mmCIF file of all heavy atoms in Angstrom:
data_model
loop_
_atom_site.group_PDB
_atom_site.id
_atom_site.type_symbol
_atom_site.label_atom_id
_atom_site.label_comp_id
_atom_site.label_asym_id
_atom_site.label_seq_id
_atom_site.Cartn_x
_atom_site.Cartn_y
_atom_site.Cartn_z
ATOM 1 N N MET A 1 -6.409 -13.162 -10.820
ATOM 2 C CA MET A 1 -5.743 -12.295 -9.865
ATOM 3 C C MET A 1 -6.369 -12.487 -8.493
ATOM 4 O O MET A 1 -7.573 -12.671 -8.383
ATOM 5 C CB MET A 1 -5.856 -10.840 -10.299
ATOM 6 C CG MET A 1 -4.963 -10.497 -11.466
ATOM 7 S SD MET A 1 -4.796 -8.727 -11.763
ATOM 8 C CE MET A 1 -6.253 -8.458 -12.738
ATOM 9 N N PRO A 2 -5.536 -12.439 -7.465
ATOM 10 C CA PRO A 2 -6.036 -12.668 -6.109
ATOM 11 C C PRO A 2 -6.848 -11.490 -5.577
ATOM 12 O O PRO A 2 -6.615 -10.340 -5.923
ATOM 13 C CB PRO A 2 -4.761 -12.841 -5.281
ATOM 14 C CG PRO A 2 -3.705 -12.130 -6.053
ATOM 15 C CD PRO A 2 -4.095 -12.236 -7.497
ATOM 16 N N GLY A 3 -7.822 -11.834 -4.735
ATOM 17 C CA GLY A 3 -8.597 -10.811 -4.044
ATOM 18 C C GLY A 3 -7.986 -10.557 -2.677
ATOM 19 O O GLY A 3 -7.480 -11.469 -2.029
ATOM 20 N N LEU A 4 -8.031 -9.324 -2.267
ATOM 21 C CA LEU A 4 -7.500 -8.940 -0.963
ATOM 22 C C LEU A 4 -8.595 -8.254 -0.163
ATOM 23 O O LEU A 4 -9.323 -7.419 -0.692
ATOM 24 C CB LEU A 4 -6.340 -7.951 -1.113
ATOM 25 C CG LEU A 4 -5.047 -8.443 -1.745
ATOM 26 C CD1 LEU A 4 -4.073 -7.274 -1.860
ATOM 27 C CD2 LEU A 4 -4.451 -9.557 -0.933
ATOM 28 N N ASN A 5 -8.714 -8.629 1.095
ATOM 29 C CA ASN A 5 -9.585 -7.941 2.033
ATOM 30 C C ASN A 5 -8.690 -7.382 3.128
ATOM 31 O O ASN A 5 -7.906 -8.127 3.723
ATOM 32 C CB ASN A 5 -10.613 -8.900 2.637
ATOM 33 C CG ASN A 5 -11.510 -9.489 1.571
ATOM 34 O OD1 ASN A 5 -12.109 -8.760 0.786
ATOM 35 N ND2 ASN A 5 -11.579 -10.800 1.521
ATOM 36 N N PHE A 6 -8.777 -6.083 3.364
ATOM 37 C CA PHE A 6 -7.896 -5.478 4.349
ATOM 38 C C PHE A 6 -8.515 -4.187 4.869
ATOM 39 O O PHE A 6 -9.502 -3.694 4.322
ATOM 40 C CB PHE A 6 -6.513 -5.204 3.750
ATOM 41 C CG PHE A 6 -6.548 -4.356 2.512
ATOM 42 C CD1 PHE A 6 -6.360 -2.983 2.607
ATOM 43 C CD2 PHE A 6 -6.762 -4.910 1.274
ATOM 44 C CE1 PHE A 6 -6.392 -2.183 1.469
ATOM 45 C CE2 PHE A 6 -6.805 -4.122 0.132
ATOM 46 C CZ PHE A 6 -6.621 -2.763 0.228
ATOM 47 N N MET A 7 -7.936 -3.675 5.936
ATOM 48 C CA MET A 7 -8.362 -2.404 6.502
ATOM 49 C C MET A 7 -7.202 -1.425 6.450
ATOM 50 O O MET A 7 -6.059 -1.788 6.715
ATOM 51 C CB MET A 7 -8.814 -2.570 7.958
ATOM 52 C CG MET A 7 -10.087 -3.364 8.104
ATOM 53 S SD MET A 7 -10.667 -3.445 9.798
ATOM 54 C CE MET A 7 -11.214 -1.754 10.026
ATOM 55 N N VAL A 8 -7.517 -0.178 6.094
ATOM 56 C CA VAL A 8 -6.535 0.902 6.136
ATOM 57 C C VAL A 8 -7.175 2.065 6.875
ATOM 58 O O VAL A 8 -8.255 2.535 6.490
ATOM 59 C CB VAL A 8 -6.118 1.360 4.726
ATOM 60 C CG1 VAL A 8 -5.134 2.528 4.804
ATOM 61 C CG2 VAL A 8 -5.516 0.213 3.945
ATOM 62 N N ASN A 9 -6.532 2.493 7.912
ATOM 63 C CA ASN A 9 -7.027 3.630 8.697
ATOM 64 C C ASN A 9 -8.479 3.432 9.120
ATOM 65 O O ASN A 9 -9.293 4.357 9.074
ATOM 66 C CB ASN A 9 -6.858 4.934 7.919
ATOM 67 C CG ASN A 9 -5.408 5.269 7.647
ATOM 68 O OD1 ASN A 9 -4.507 4.769 8.320
ATOM 69 N ND2 ASN A 9 -5.174 6.094 6.654
ATOM 70 N N GLY A 10 -8.830 2.191 9.494
ATOM 71 C CA GLY A 10 -10.164 1.890 10.003
ATOM 72 C C GLY A 10 -11.233 1.647 8.953
ATOM 73 O O GLY A 10 -12.376 1.380 9.288
ATOM 74 N N ARG A 11 -10.864 1.705 7.667
ATOM 75 C CA ARG A 11 -11.835 1.482 6.590
ATOM 76 C C ARG A 11 -11.525 0.166 5.885
ATOM 77 O O ARG A 11 -10.368 -0.139 5.598
ATOM 78 C CB ARG A 11 -11.772 2.644 5.599
ATOM 79 C CG ARG A 11 -12.780 2.514 4.496
ATOM 80 C CD ARG A 11 -12.828 3.759 3.651
ATOM 81 N NE ARG A 11 -13.640 3.499 2.474
ATOM 82 C CZ ARG A 11 -13.724 4.294 1.438
ATOM 83 N NH1 ARG A 11 -13.055 5.431 1.424
ATOM 84 N NH2 ARG A 11 -14.469 3.991 0.416
ATOM 85 N N GLU A 12 -12.591 -0.615 5.597
ATOM 86 C CA GLU A 12 -12.418 -1.912 4.951
ATOM 87 C C GLU A 12 -12.369 -1.766 3.437
ATOM 88 O O GLU A 12 -13.102 -0.971 2.855
ATOM 89 C CB GLU A 12 -13.564 -2.851 5.337
ATOM 90 C CG GLU A 12 -13.546 -3.244 6.801
ATOM 91 C CD GLU A 12 -14.631 -4.262 7.133
ATOM 92 O OE1 GLU A 12 -15.021 -5.021 6.244
ATOM 93 O OE2 GLU A 12 -15.061 -4.255 8.293
ATOM 94 N N TYR A 13 -11.489 -2.585 2.827
ATOM 95 C CA TYR A 13 -11.356 -2.610 1.374
ATOM 96 C C TYR A 13 -11.385 -4.051 0.898
ATOM 97 O O TYR A 13 -10.903 -4.952 1.579
ATOM 98 C CB TYR A 13 -10.035 -1.979 0.928
ATOM 99 C CG TYR A 13 -9.949 -0.513 1.205
ATOM 100 C CD1 TYR A 13 -9.486 -0.049 2.431
ATOM 101 C CD2 TYR A 13 -10.334 0.418 0.256
ATOM 102 C CE1 TYR A 13 -9.413 1.306 2.704
ATOM 103 C CE2 TYR A 13 -10.263 1.773 0.510
ATOM 104 C CZ TYR A 13 -9.803 2.214 1.734
ATOM 105 O OH TYR A 13 -9.732 3.554 1.999
ATOM 106 N N SER A 14 -11.964 -4.278 -0.263
ATOM 107 C CA SER A 14 -11.943 -5.574 -0.925
ATOM 108 C C SER A 14 -11.585 -5.316 -2.382
ATOM 109 O O SER A 14 -12.360 -4.724 -3.122
ATOM 110 C CB SER A 14 -13.315 -6.249 -0.809
ATOM 111 O OG SER A 14 -13.283 -7.517 -1.427
ATOM 112 N N LEU A 15 -10.381 -5.724 -2.771
ATOM 113 C CA LEU A 15 -9.869 -5.407 -4.100
ATOM 114 C C LEU A 15 -9.301 -6.651 -4.763
ATOM 115 O O LEU A 15 -8.830 -7.566 -4.099
ATOM 116 C CB LEU A 15 -8.752 -4.362 -4.005
ATOM 117 C CG LEU A 15 -9.077 -3.018 -3.364
ATOM 118 C CD1 LEU A 15 -7.800 -2.198 -3.207
ATOM 119 C CD2 LEU A 15 -10.086 -2.271 -4.207
ATOM 120 N N THR A 16 -9.329 -6.651 -6.082
ATOM 121 C CA THR A 16 -8.640 -7.663 -6.870
ATOM 122 C C THR A 16 -7.451 -6.975 -7.516
ATOM 123 O O THR A 16 -7.615 -5.992 -8.239
ATOM 124 C CB THR A 16 -9.574 -8.238 -7.949
ATOM 125 O OG1 THR A 16 -10.705 -8.820 -7.306
ATOM 126 C CG2 THR A 16 -8.856 -9.289 -8.768
ATOM 127 N N VAL A 17 -6.259 -7.472 -7.204
ATOM 128 C CA VAL A 17 -5.045 -6.816 -7.686
ATOM 129 C C VAL A 17 -4.051 -7.839 -8.206
ATOM 130 O O VAL A 17 -4.109 -9.020 -7.869
ATOM 131 C CB VAL A 17 -4.362 -5.989 -6.566
ATOM 132 C CG1 VAL A 17 -5.266 -4.874 -6.085
ATOM 133 C CG2 VAL A 17 -3.951 -6.865 -5.409
ATOM 134 N N SER A 18 -3.132 -7.384 -9.025
ATOM 135 C CA SER A 18 -2.064 -8.238 -9.521
ATOM 136 C C SER A 18 -1.171 -8.670 -8.361
ATOM 137 O O SER A 18 -0.857 -7.860 -7.483
ATOM 138 C CB SER A 18 -1.214 -7.464 -10.532
ATOM 139 O OG SER A 18 0.013 -8.144 -10.771
ATOM 140 N N PRO A 19 -0.722 -9.924 -8.350
ATOM 141 C CA PRO A 19 0.202 -10.360 -7.292
ATOM 142 C C PRO A 19 1.543 -9.645 -7.378
ATOM 143 O O PRO A 19 2.336 -9.693 -6.439
ATOM 144 C CB PRO A 19 0.355 -11.871 -7.525
ATOM 145 C CG PRO A 19 -0.072 -12.086 -8.928
ATOM 146 C CD PRO A 19 -1.070 -11.005 -9.258
ATOM 147 N N LEU A 20 1.795 -8.958 -8.467
ATOM 148 C CA LEU A 20 3.053 -8.227 -8.627
ATOM 149 C C LEU A 20 2.953 -6.779 -8.165
ATOM 150 O O LEU A 20 3.961 -6.061 -8.143
ATOM 151 C CB LEU A 20 3.490 -8.258 -10.096
ATOM 152 C CG LEU A 20 3.716 -9.653 -10.675
ATOM 153 C CD1 LEU A 20 4.093 -9.555 -12.137
ATOM 154 C CD2 LEU A 20 4.760 -10.421 -9.887
ATOM 155 N N MET A 21 1.744 -6.334 -7.795
ATOM 156 C CA MET A 21 1.567 -4.944 -7.377
ATOM 157 C C MET A 21 2.238 -4.701 -6.030
ATOM 158 O O MET A 21 2.068 -5.469 -5.088
ATOM 159 C CB MET A 21 0.082 -4.595 -7.294
ATOM 160 C CG MET A 21 -0.174 -3.154 -6.864
ATOM 161 S SD MET A 21 -1.919 -2.725 -6.929
ATOM 162 C CE MET A 21 -1.875 -1.581 -8.299
ATOM 163 N N ARG A 22 2.987 -3.613 -5.955
ATOM 164 C CA ARG A 22 3.640 -3.262 -4.692
ATOM 165 C C ARG A 22 2.629 -2.627 -3.748
ATOM 166 O O ARG A 22 1.675 -1.973 -4.188
ATOM 167 C CB ARG A 22 4.787 -2.272 -4.934
ATOM 168 C CG ARG A 22 5.855 -2.778 -5.877
ATOM 169 C CD ARG A 22 6.935 -1.749 -6.113
ATOM 170 N NE ARG A 22 6.377 -0.494 -6.591
ATOM 171 C CZ ARG A 22 7.065 0.637 -6.708
ATOM 172 N NH1 ARG A 22 8.349 0.653 -6.375
ATOM 173 N NH2 ARG A 22 6.508 1.736 -7.145
ATOM 174 N N LEU A 23 2.890 -2.766 -2.442
ATOM 175 C CA LEU A 23 2.025 -2.143 -1.444
ATOM 176 C C LEU A 23 1.948 -0.641 -1.688
ATOM 177 O O LEU A 23 0.874 -0.041 -1.602
ATOM 178 C CB LEU A 23 2.553 -2.434 -0.033
ATOM 179 C CG LEU A 23 1.815 -1.744 1.110
ATOM 180 C CD1 LEU A 23 0.343 -2.147 1.133
ATOM 181 C CD2 LEU A 23 2.492 -2.086 2.438
ATOM 182 N N LEU A 24 3.062 -0.024 -2.010
ATOM 183 C CA LEU A 24 3.092 1.405 -2.304
ATOM 184 C C LEU A 24 2.104 1.763 -3.415
ATOM 185 O O LEU A 24 1.329 2.720 -3.302
ATOM 186 C CB LEU A 24 4.518 1.809 -2.713
ATOM 187 C CG LEU A 24 4.704 3.220 -3.252
ATOM 188 C CD1 LEU A 24 4.466 4.241 -2.151
ATOM 189 C CD2 LEU A 24 6.090 3.369 -3.835
ATOM 190 N N ASP A 25 2.102 1.004 -4.488
ATOM 191 C CA ASP A 25 1.220 1.300 -5.616
ATOM 192 C C ASP A 25 -0.236 1.008 -5.275
ATOM 193 O O ASP A 25 -1.134 1.730 -5.703
ATOM 194 C CB ASP A 25 1.661 0.499 -6.847
ATOM 195 C CG ASP A 25 3.053 0.897 -7.296
ATOM 196 O OD1 ASP A 25 3.399 2.092 -7.197
ATOM 197 O OD2 ASP A 25 3.805 0.004 -7.720
ATOM 198 N N LEU A 26 -0.479 -0.043 -4.503
ATOM 199 C CA LEU A 26 -1.848 -0.342 -4.076
ATOM 200 C C LEU A 26 -2.410 0.810 -3.254
ATOM 201 O O LEU A 26 -3.532 1.267 -3.495
ATOM 202 C CB LEU A 26 -1.882 -1.642 -3.275
ATOM 203 C CG LEU A 26 -3.267 -2.123 -2.849
ATOM 204 C CD1 LEU A 26 -3.324 -3.633 -2.821
ATOM 205 C CD2 LEU A 26 -3.669 -1.564 -1.502
ATOM 206 N N LEU A 27 -1.629 1.286 -2.305
ATOM 207 C CA LEU A 27 -2.105 2.384 -1.457
ATOM 208 C C LEU A 27 -2.335 3.654 -2.266
ATOM 209 O O LEU A 27 -3.349 4.328 -2.098
ATOM 210 C CB LEU A 27 -1.103 2.653 -0.327
ATOM 211 C CG LEU A 27 -1.012 1.563 0.732
ATOM 212 C CD1 LEU A 27 0.152 1.838 1.672
ATOM 213 C CD2 LEU A 27 -2.313 1.438 1.498
ATOM 214 N N ARG A 28 -1.425 3.977 -3.152
ATOM 215 C CA ARG A 28 -1.554 5.225 -3.915
ATOM 216 C C ARG A 28 -2.623 5.134 -5.001
ATOM 217 O O ARG A 28 -3.444 6.026 -5.149
ATOM 218 C CB ARG A 28 -0.204 5.600 -4.543
ATOM 219 C CG ARG A 28 0.839 6.034 -3.514
ATOM 220 C CD ARG A 28 2.125 6.500 -4.197
ATOM 221 N NE ARG A 28 1.896 7.543 -5.156
ATOM 222 C CZ ARG A 28 1.821 8.836 -4.843
ATOM 223 N NH1 ARG A 28 1.964 9.220 -3.597
ATOM 224 N NH2 ARG A 28 1.613 9.734 -5.784
ATOM 225 N N GLU A 29 -2.632 4.044 -5.760
ATOM 226 C CA GLU A 29 -3.480 3.969 -6.953
ATOM 227 C C GLU A 29 -4.869 3.404 -6.674
ATOM 228 O O GLU A 29 -5.842 3.826 -7.295
ATOM 229 C CB GLU A 29 -2.789 3.115 -8.015
ATOM 230 C CG GLU A 29 -1.481 3.738 -8.486
ATOM 231 C CD GLU A 29 -0.642 2.806 -9.326
ATOM 232 O OE1 GLU A 29 -1.175 1.768 -9.797
ATOM 233 O OE2 GLU A 29 0.548 3.099 -9.518
ATOM 234 N N GLU A 30 -4.983 2.438 -5.782
ATOM 235 C CA GLU A 30 -6.280 1.796 -5.539
ATOM 236 C C GLU A 30 -7.005 2.409 -4.350
ATOM 237 O O GLU A 30 -8.220 2.532 -4.366
ATOM 238 C CB GLU A 30 -6.089 0.288 -5.316
ATOM 239 C CG GLU A 30 -5.396 -0.423 -6.457
ATOM 240 C CD GLU A 30 -6.194 -0.407 -7.754
ATOM 241 O OE1 GLU A 30 -7.437 -0.333 -7.697
ATOM 242 O OE2 GLU A 30 -5.571 -0.467 -8.837
ATOM 243 N N VAL A 31 -6.268 2.754 -3.300
ATOM 244 C CA VAL A 31 -6.881 3.292 -2.083
ATOM 245 C C VAL A 31 -6.835 4.825 -2.072
ATOM 246 O O VAL A 31 -7.502 5.461 -1.287
ATOM 247 C CB VAL A 31 -6.194 2.675 -0.834
ATOM 248 C CG1 VAL A 31 -6.828 3.141 0.451
ATOM 249 C CG2 VAL A 31 -6.242 1.143 -0.905
ATOM 250 N N ARG A 32 -6.042 5.390 -2.985
ATOM 251 C CA ARG A 32 -5.928 6.848 -3.140
ATOM 252 C C ARG A 32 -5.317 7.521 -1.911
ATOM 253 O O ARG A 32 -5.655 8.661 -1.589
ATOM 254 C CB ARG A 32 -7.266 7.494 -3.507
ATOM 255 C CG ARG A 32 -7.962 6.858 -4.687
ATOM 256 C CD ARG A 32 -7.171 6.785 -5.941
ATOM 257 N NE ARG A 32 -6.738 8.107 -6.413
ATOM 258 C CZ ARG A 32 -5.786 8.304 -7.298
ATOM 259 N NH1 ARG A 32 -5.133 7.281 -7.805
ATOM 260 N NH2 ARG A 32 -5.481 9.502 -7.672
ATOM 261 N N LEU A 33 -4.418 6.829 -1.238
ATOM 262 C CA LEU A 33 -3.677 7.408 -0.120
ATOM 263 C C LEU A 33 -2.318 7.839 -0.666
ATOM 264 O O LEU A 33 -1.334 7.090 -0.614
ATOM 265 C CB LEU A 33 -3.537 6.398 1.023
ATOM 266 C CG LEU A 33 -4.830 6.054 1.746
ATOM 267 C CD1 LEU A 33 -4.590 4.942 2.754
ATOM 268 C CD2 LEU A 33 -5.418 7.273 2.427
ATOM 269 N N THR A 34 -2.276 9.040 -1.185
ATOM 270 C CA THR A 34 -1.081 9.490 -1.887
ATOM 271 C C THR A 34 -0.026 10.095 -0.965
ATOM 272 O O THR A 34 1.003 10.571 -1.439
ATOM 273 C CB THR A 34 -1.460 10.500 -2.976
ATOM 274 O OG1 THR A 34 -2.172 11.586 -2.367
ATOM 275 C CG2 THR A 34 -2.345 9.849 -4.036
ATOM 276 N N GLY A 35 -0.282 10.050 0.338
ATOM 277 C CA GLY A 35 0.718 10.524 1.277
ATOM 278 C C GLY A 35 1.915 9.592 1.344
ATOM 279 O O GLY A 35 3.003 9.988 1.743
ATOM 280 N N THR A 36 1.715 8.335 0.939
ATOM 281 C CA THR A 36 2.814 7.379 0.851
ATOM 282 C C THR A 36 3.565 7.655 -0.444
ATOM 283 O O THR A 36 2.979 7.666 -1.512
ATOM 284 C CB THR A 36 2.279 5.941 0.853
ATOM 285 O OG1 THR A 36 1.447 5.768 1.997
ATOM 286 C CG2 THR A 36 3.408 4.945 0.909
ATOM 287 N N LYS A 37 4.858 7.900 -0.322
ATOM 288 C CA LYS A 37 5.651 8.337 -1.482
ATOM 289 C C LYS A 37 6.746 7.342 -1.827
ATOM 290 O O LYS A 37 7.248 6.631 -0.964
ATOM 291 C CB LYS A 37 6.336 9.681 -1.181
ATOM 292 C CG LYS A 37 5.448 10.750 -0.623
ATOM 293 C CD LYS A 37 4.572 11.358 -1.666
ATOM 294 C CE LYS A 37 3.869 12.595 -1.097
ATOM 295 N NZ LYS A 37 2.635 12.855 -1.773
ATOM 296 N N GLU A 38 7.133 7.346 -3.103
ATOM 297 C CA GLU A 38 8.338 6.636 -3.515
ATOM 298 C C GLU A 38 9.415 7.679 -3.757
ATOM 299 O O GLU A 38 9.198 8.654 -4.475
ATOM 300 C CB GLU A 38 8.118 5.836 -4.788
ATOM 301 C CG GLU A 38 9.392 5.097 -5.197
ATOM 302 C CD GLU A 38 9.162 4.119 -6.341
ATOM 303 O OE1 GLU A 38 8.128 4.194 -6.998
ATOM 304 O OE2 GLU A 38 10.055 3.288 -6.537
ATOM 305 N N SER A 39 10.556 7.473 -3.147
ATOM 306 C CA SER A 39 11.668 8.394 -3.346
ATOM 307 C C SER A 39 12.867 7.636 -3.889
ATOM 308 O O SER A 39 13.134 7.654 -5.073
ATOM 309 C CB SER A 39 11.995 9.107 -2.039
ATOM 310 O OG SER A 39 13.016 10.040 -2.239
ATOM 311 N N CYS A 40 13.579 6.933 -3.009
ATOM 312 C CA CYS A 40 14.794 6.243 -3.455
ATOM 313 C C CYS A 40 14.469 4.966 -4.246
ATOM 314 O O CYS A 40 15.240 4.558 -5.098
ATOM 315 C CB CYS A 40 15.693 5.917 -2.276
ATOM 316 S SG CYS A 40 15.059 4.619 -1.188
ATOM 317 N N GLY A 41 13.332 4.319 -3.918
ATOM 318 C CA GLY A 41 12.971 3.088 -4.599
ATOM 319 C C GLY A 41 13.846 1.910 -4.238
ATOM 320 O O GLY A 41 13.797 0.866 -4.889
ATOM 321 N N GLU A 42 14.663 2.060 -3.179
ATOM 322 C CA GLU A 42 15.606 0.998 -2.818
ATOM 323 C C GLU A 42 15.541 0.597 -1.353
ATOM 324 O O GLU A 42 16.412 -0.104 -0.865
ATOM 325 C CB GLU A 42 17.035 1.452 -3.144
ATOM 326 C CG GLU A 42 17.239 1.711 -4.622
ATOM 327 C CD GLU A 42 18.650 2.148 -4.950
ATOM 328 O OE1 GLU A 42 19.448 2.345 -4.014
ATOM 329 O OE2 GLU A 42 18.950 2.288 -6.138
ATOM 330 N N GLY A 43 14.557 1.102 -0.615
ATOM 331 C CA GLY A 43 14.430 0.729 0.789
ATOM 332 C C GLY A 43 15.385 1.443 1.716
ATOM 333 O O GLY A 43 15.646 0.980 2.827
ATOM 334 N N GLU A 44 15.926 2.580 1.271
ATOM 335 C CA GLU A 44 16.919 3.289 2.077
ATOM 336 C C GLU A 44 16.380 4.530 2.782
ATOM 337 O O GLU A 44 16.827 4.869 3.866
ATOM 338 C CB GLU A 44 18.095 3.697 1.181
ATOM 339 C CG GLU A 44 18.856 2.525 0.592
ATOM 340 C CD GLU A 44 19.570 1.695 1.638
ATOM 341 O OE1 GLU A 44 20.010 2.250 2.651
ATOM 342 O OE2 GLU A 44 19.674 0.474 1.429
ATOM 343 N N CYS A 45 15.440 5.238 2.175
ATOM 344 C CA CYS A 45 15.064 6.555 2.703
ATOM 345 C C CYS A 45 13.878 6.528 3.667
ATOM 346 O O CYS A 45 13.722 7.421 4.481
ATOM 347 C CB CYS A 45 14.762 7.510 1.553
ATOM 348 S SG CYS A 45 13.225 7.168 0.682
ATOM 349 N N GLY A 46 12.991 5.548 3.534
ATOM 350 C CA GLY A 46 11.848 5.426 4.438
ATOM 351 C C GLY A 46 10.605 6.186 4.011
ATOM 352 O O GLY A 46 9.593 6.134 4.703
ATOM 353 N N SER A 47 10.635 6.865 2.888
ATOM 354 C CA SER A 47 9.458 7.650 2.498
ATOM 355 C C SER A 47 8.270 6.781 2.118
ATOM 356 O O SER A 47 7.141 7.254 2.110
ATOM 357 C CB SER A 47 9.797 8.624 1.374
ATOM 358 O OG SER A 47 10.046 7.931 0.184
ATOM 359 N N CYS A 48 8.481 5.520 1.803
ATOM 360 C CA CYS A 48 7.365 4.633 1.460
ATOM 361 C C CYS A 48 6.924 3.789 2.655
ATOM 362 O O CYS A 48 6.039 2.944 2.521
ATOM 363 C CB CYS A 48 7.749 3.727 0.289
ATOM 364 S SG CYS A 48 9.072 2.568 0.664
ATOM 365 N N THR A 49 7.499 4.023 3.826
ATOM 366 C CA THR A 49 7.193 3.216 5.000
ATOM 367 C C THR A 49 5.760 3.444 5.475
ATOM 368 O O THR A 49 5.292 4.570 5.557
ATOM 369 C CB THR A 49 8.163 3.556 6.146
ATOM 370 O OG1 THR A 49 9.486 3.294 5.719
ATOM 371 C CG2 THR A 49 7.863 2.727 7.388
ATOM 372 N N VAL A 50 5.051 2.360 5.759
ATOM 373 C CA VAL A 50 3.721 2.422 6.357
ATOM 374 C C VAL A 50 3.724 1.489 7.567
ATOM 375 O O VAL A 50 4.596 0.623 7.712
ATOM 376 C CB VAL A 50 2.613 2.006 5.370
ATOM 377 C CG1 VAL A 50 2.561 2.958 4.186
ATOM 378 C CG2 VAL A 50 2.804 0.574 4.897
ATOM 379 N N LEU A 51 2.757 1.678 8.455
ATOM 380 C CA LEU A 51 2.636 0.809 9.615
ATOM 381 C C LEU A 51 1.640 -0.297 9.308
ATOM 382 O O LEU A 51 0.505 -0.042 8.914
ATOM 383 C CB LEU A 51 2.180 1.601 10.837
ATOM 384 C CG LEU A 51 3.154 2.672 11.321
ATOM 385 C CD1 LEU A 51 2.565 3.416 12.513
ATOM 386 C CD2 LEU A 51 4.499 2.056 11.688
ATOM 387 N N LEU A 52 2.074 -1.535 9.492
ATOM 388 C CA LEU A 52 1.221 -2.713 9.317
ATOM 389 C C LEU A 52 1.107 -3.378 10.671
ATOM 390 O O LEU A 52 2.106 -3.889 11.198
ATOM 391 C CB LEU A 52 1.841 -3.668 8.277
ATOM 392 C CG LEU A 52 1.122 -4.980 8.068
ATOM 393 C CD1 LEU A 52 -0.295 -4.749 7.527
ATOM 394 C CD2 LEU A 52 1.908 -5.867 7.113
ATOM 395 N N ASP A 53 -0.079 -3.318 11.249
ATOM 396 C CA ASP A 53 -0.293 -3.830 12.611
ATOM 397 C C ASP A 53 0.708 -3.207 13.577
ATOM 398 O O ASP A 53 1.245 -3.883 14.457
ATOM 399 C CB ASP A 53 -0.208 -5.362 12.637
ATOM 400 C CG ASP A 53 -1.308 -6.019 11.823
ATOM 401 O OD1 ASP A 53 -2.405 -5.415 11.702
ATOM 402 O OD2 ASP A 53 -1.083 -7.125 11.302
ATOM 403 N N GLY A 54 0.971 -1.908 13.390
ATOM 404 C CA GLY A 54 1.826 -1.164 14.294
ATOM 405 C C GLY A 54 3.311 -1.301 14.028
ATOM 406 O O GLY A 54 4.120 -0.684 14.724
ATOM 407 N N ARG A 55 3.683 -2.078 13.013
ATOM 408 C CA ARG A 55 5.105 -2.270 12.709
ATOM 409 C C ARG A 55 5.428 -1.637 11.349
ATOM 410 O O ARG A 55 4.668 -1.796 10.402
ATOM 411 C CB ARG A 55 5.456 -3.754 12.667
ATOM 412 C CG ARG A 55 5.235 -4.428 14.020
ATOM 413 C CD ARG A 55 5.493 -5.913 13.993
ATOM 414 N NE ARG A 55 6.812 -6.186 13.448
ATOM 415 C CZ ARG A 55 7.206 -7.391 13.054
ATOM 416 N NH1 ARG A 55 6.399 -8.420 13.174
ATOM 417 N NH2 ARG A 55 8.417 -7.568 12.574
ATOM 418 N N PRO A 56 6.564 -0.926 11.257
ATOM 419 C CA PRO A 56 6.921 -0.321 9.974
ATOM 420 C C PRO A 56 7.308 -1.363 8.939
ATOM 421 O O PRO A 56 8.082 -2.282 9.233
ATOM 422 C CB PRO A 56 8.107 0.581 10.344
ATOM 423 C CG PRO A 56 8.674 0.004 11.588
ATOM 424 C CD PRO A 56 7.527 -0.663 12.315
ATOM 425 N N VAL A 57 6.740 -1.193 7.738
ATOM 426 C CA VAL A 57 7.105 -2.091 6.631
ATOM 427 C C VAL A 57 7.342 -1.260 5.380
ATOM 428 O O VAL A 57 6.858 -0.136 5.279
ATOM 429 C CB VAL A 57 6.010 -3.152 6.353
ATOM 430 C CG1 VAL A 57 5.849 -4.078 7.532
ATOM 431 C CG2 VAL A 57 4.678 -2.507 6.000
HETATM 432 S S1 FES B 101 11.251 4.898 -1.479
HETATM 433 FE FE1 FES B 101 10.953 3.304 -0.092
HETATM 434 S S2 FES B 101 12.620 3.479 1.255
HETATM 435 FE FE2 FES B 101 12.952 5.027 -0.209
#
């Protein structure tokens, strides 16, 4: 499994995760940022939107 090095809200993380893991699940389950929610699950409602380098993804 690939290793990821990244920053969230100014804090550095180094994790090994499945390449199939969604960003939503990584943030909620590995980083414990549960403010990111899944609602529609289809990219329509925006509840899972986060800012990546200032751009919504
Ligand atoms: S849950 Fe992601 S857009 Fe609705």
